[in-house]
């Protein structure tokens, strides 16, 4: 396979994911250039990560990229997207694509105006465990999905999973919820484990989304969950013939209607005496619900998911096969804004059909 050659705009914490992926999978990806406008900062970045850093989009384009990743603060994403659309360069945009409903509308109009090529790296559907859950649903194991209780992802990230699970991508809903504050001892951060025993207050949103087709999502999230050893992530999905409850799937067999309970099992190389150190897949009983698309990737689950989005860009550019279209990203971000509004105002909010779904 010909290498996927990409450039990038951005130098934040999220941008580093794309650099690690390119270095971990050099036979698949080639990062040709990173754009950082500040020359001094760019020189330091180039030295730290051993990559080519330039100051303009035109310089990135000259490296003959298949697409450009935008990984910058959402307040300035629009400016870069508008320029890339005009230049006709395919884009993989880090989420979210805008910071207000007005900008979401403007972005959709720009997309249509330039017939732009863009997909969004809202990657959670491609994380191994989420992908396994979605495959179980796709296979009809638990029947028609009725509701989801998710406590693992915030705002538009959580909405993206809710939408896929319930099949309610563009169905209007009524959102009600409230924000609470609870104390918890901090145990982990982006720099590693924390042992000082400091107790902090963290917000927790409890939200219900009632869709017009009768399906319901119970959304429960506290920011501390992303980095904590004492606050778990939880997911429960109920269908007419079973349920997914974290690592347990309960279902009724198609032949004989026999109730069965099975556990999901991760297959990871590198534990004990195995030397490869990589995630391989997730099994339920004797079959795989998920296999990593990469051979022995030394990547964590989130990096595998982002790499999957990058890998799918090739088929999107060449064949038009979308994996996370702009309209889906706009809708999920819009619902995320409405969740914030319902929580802040502590009253029910009804969503309406937006221009990208008319």
């Amino acid at each position: 396979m010909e290498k996927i050659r990409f450039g990038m705009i951005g130098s934040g914490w999220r941008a580093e994911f794309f650099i690690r992926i390119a270095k971990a999978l050099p036979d698949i990806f080639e990062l040709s250039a990173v754009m950082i406008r500040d020359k001094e900062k760019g020189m330091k970045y180039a030295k730290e990560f051993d990559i080519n850093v330039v100051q303009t989009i035109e310089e990135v384009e000259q490296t003959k990229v298949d697409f450009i990743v935008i990984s910058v603060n959402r307040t300035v994403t629009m400016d870069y997207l508008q320029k890339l659309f005009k230049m006709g360069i395919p884009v993989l945009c880090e989420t979210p694509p805008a910071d207000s409903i007005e900008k979401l509308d403007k972005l959709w109009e720009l997309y249509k105006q330039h017939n732009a090529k863009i997909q969004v790296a809202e990657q959670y559907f491609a994380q191994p465990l989420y992908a396994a859950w979605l495959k179980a649903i796709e296979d009809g194991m638990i029947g028609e999905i009725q509701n989801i209780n998710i406590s693992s992802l915030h705002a538009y990230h959580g909405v993206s999973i809710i939408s896929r699970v319930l099949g309610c991508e563009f169905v209007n809903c009524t959102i009600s919820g409230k924000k609470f504050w609870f104390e918890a001892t901090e145990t982990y951060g982006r720099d590693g484990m924390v042992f000082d025993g400091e107790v902090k207050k963290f917000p927790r949103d409890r939200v219900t989304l009632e869709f017009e087709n009768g399906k319901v999502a119970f959304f429960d999230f506290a920011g501390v969950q992303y980095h904590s050893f004492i606050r778990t992530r939880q997911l429960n999905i109920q269908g007419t013939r079973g349920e997914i409850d974290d690592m347990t799937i309960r279902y009724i067999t198609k032949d004989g209607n026999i109730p069965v309970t099975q556990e999901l099992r991760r297959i990871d190389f590198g534990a004990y005496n195995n030397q490869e150190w990589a995630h391989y897949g997730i099994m339920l009983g004797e079959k795989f619900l998920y296999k990593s698309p990469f051979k022995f990737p030394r990547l964590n689950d989130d990096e595998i998911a982002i790499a999957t989005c990058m890998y799918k860009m090739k088929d999107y550019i060449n064949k038009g096969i979308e994996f996370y279209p702009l309209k889906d990203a706009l809708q999920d971000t819009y619902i995320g804004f409405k969740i914030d509004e319902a929580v802040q105002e502590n009253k029910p909010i009804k969503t309406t059909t937006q221009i990208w779904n008319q």
Side-chain angles (χ1 to χ4, degrees):
M1 173 184 169
E2 186 180 347
K3 279 189 182 182
I4 297 170
R5 189 174 173 86
F6 72 101
M8 183 167 65
I9 300 171
S11 58
W13 179 74
R14 264 295 176 188
E16 294 176 17
F17 280 63
F18 296 93
I19 297 173
R20 290 196 296 271
I21 289 165
K23 290 182 179 295
L25 299 169
D27 293 338
I28 300 175
F29 302 112
E30 181 179 350
L31 176 56
S32 63
V34 175
M35 193 205 99
I36 301 174
R37 287 184 297 183
D38 186 304
K39 189 171 184 178
E40 184 176 345
K41 180 181 177 181
M43 290 174 63
K44 292 179 180 178
Y45 203 79
K47 184 176 180 180
E48 180 180 359
F49 293 101
D50 189 25
I51 54 176
N52 177 33
V53 173
V54 298
Q55 279 74 59
T56 67
I57 293 176
E58 288 77 12
E59 289 175 288
V60 177
E61 182 188 29
Q62 288 168 10
T63 63
K64 302 188 185 311
V65 294
D66 294 310
F67 62 91
I68 289 179
V69 171
I70 294 183
S71 184
V72 298
N73 189 291
R74 64 181 182 175
T75 59
V76 296
T77 299
M78 181 76 70
D79 296 335
Y80 289 114
L81 284 174
Q82 187 168 1
K83 184 163 186 177
L84 291 170
F85 287 176
K86 289 180 179 178
M87 296 173 71
I89 301 174
V91 180
L92 178 61
C93 182
E94 245 284 292
T95 55
D99 62 351
S100 70
I101 295 175
E102 292 74 24
K103 288 185 179 179
L104 296 179
D105 292 343
K106 181 180 178 182
L107 179 53
W108 181 249
E109 294 294 350
L110 286 170
Y111 164 76
K112 291 196 303 179
Q113 176 186 341
H114 296 284
N115 193 25
K117 282 190 172 294
I118 178 174
Q119 295 290 279
V120 179
E122 177 51 58
Q123 76 277 9
Y124 286 98
F125 77 96
Q127 274 200 7
L129 186 54
Y130 287 102
W133 286 328
L134 289 167
K135 183 64 166 65
I137 292 169
E138 180 187 327
D139 289 348
M141 288 188 66
I142 63 173
E144 177 70 20
I145 305 305
Q146 304 291 295
N147 62 77
I148 177 175
N149 192 325
I150 182 170
S151 181
S152 59
L153 302 169
H154 78 280
Y156 50 89
H157 296 307
V159 175
S160 72
I161 295 299
I162 288 170
S163 300
R164 284 179 184 259
V165 168
L166 296 182
C168 292
E169 285 88 344
F170 301 100
V171 179
N172 286 319
C173 64
T174 299
I175 305 170
S176 55
K178 187 175 181 179
K179 184 182 294 292
F180 300 88
W181 292 84
F182 299 108
E183 292 184 342
T185 304
E186 196 165 34
T187 61
Y188 188 74
R190 287 183 175 178
D191 296 325
M193 296 183 71
V194 177
F195 300 101
D196 58 16
E198 183 179 3
V199 176
K200 295 182 178 180
K201 273 195 172 183
F202 296 96
R204 181 170 182 173
D205 295 340
R206 296 294 297 267
V207 179
T208 301
L209 295 86
E210 300 177 67
F211 292 89
E212 290 181 350
N213 61 3
K215 297 188 178 184
V216 178
F218 304 102
F219 179 76
D220 175 9
F221 186 73
V224 68
Q225 288 176 278
Y226 277 129
H227 303 285
S228 179
F229 288 98
I230 60 172
R231 291 292 183 267
T232 58
R233 274 73 54 198
Q234 298 172 332
L235 179 134
N236 182 280
I237 302 167
Q238 295 184 331
T240 55
R241 294 181 63 82
E243 74 170 9
I244 297 170
D245 188 26
D246 290 333
M247 300 299 285
T248 303
I249 299 184
R250 299 176 179 89
Y251 62 97
I252 299 171
T253 62
K254 294 178 181 178
D255 296 327
N257 292 316
I258 300 168
V260 176
T261 299
Q262 288 187 311
E263 298 292 321
L264 291 168
R265 183 166 66 94
R266 286 183 66 104
I267 308 298
D268 293 315
F269 297 140
Y272 302 106
N273 293 327
N274 189 293
Q275 300 301 311
E276 281 84 2
W277 182 42
H279 175 67
Y280 184 79
I282 295 178
M283 297 187 73
L284 183 72
E286 64 183 10
K287 71 175 183 178
F288 280 95
L289 288 182
Y290 171 83
K291 284 185 179 180
S292 171
F294 311 108
K295 184 177 180 181
F296 302 144
R298 296 197 170 195
L299 303 170
N300 64 34
D301 283 10
D302 207 35
E303 290 165 343
I304 290 173
I306 295 170
T308 301
C309 292
M310 295 165 64
Y311 190 74
K312 288 177 178 289
M313 279 296 289
K314 197 73 172 179
D315 277 343
Y316 168 65
I317 293 168
N318 293 337
K319 303 175 185 177
I321 301 173
E322 297 188 301
F323 58 88
Y324 200 87
L326 178 63
K327 67 187 299 185
D328 291 68
L330 297 178
Q331 180 71 11
D332 290 343
T333 306
Y334 164 70
I335 298 296
F337 290 156
K338 288 299 181 180
I339 287 175
D340 290 341
E341 184 180 337
V343 167
Q344 294 297 329
E345 298 186 10
N346 194 19
K347 68 178 185 180
I349 298 291
K350 289 188 176 182
T351 67
T352 57
T353 301
Q354 301 300 296
I355 61 172
W356 50 82
N357 195 38
Q358 293 176 351

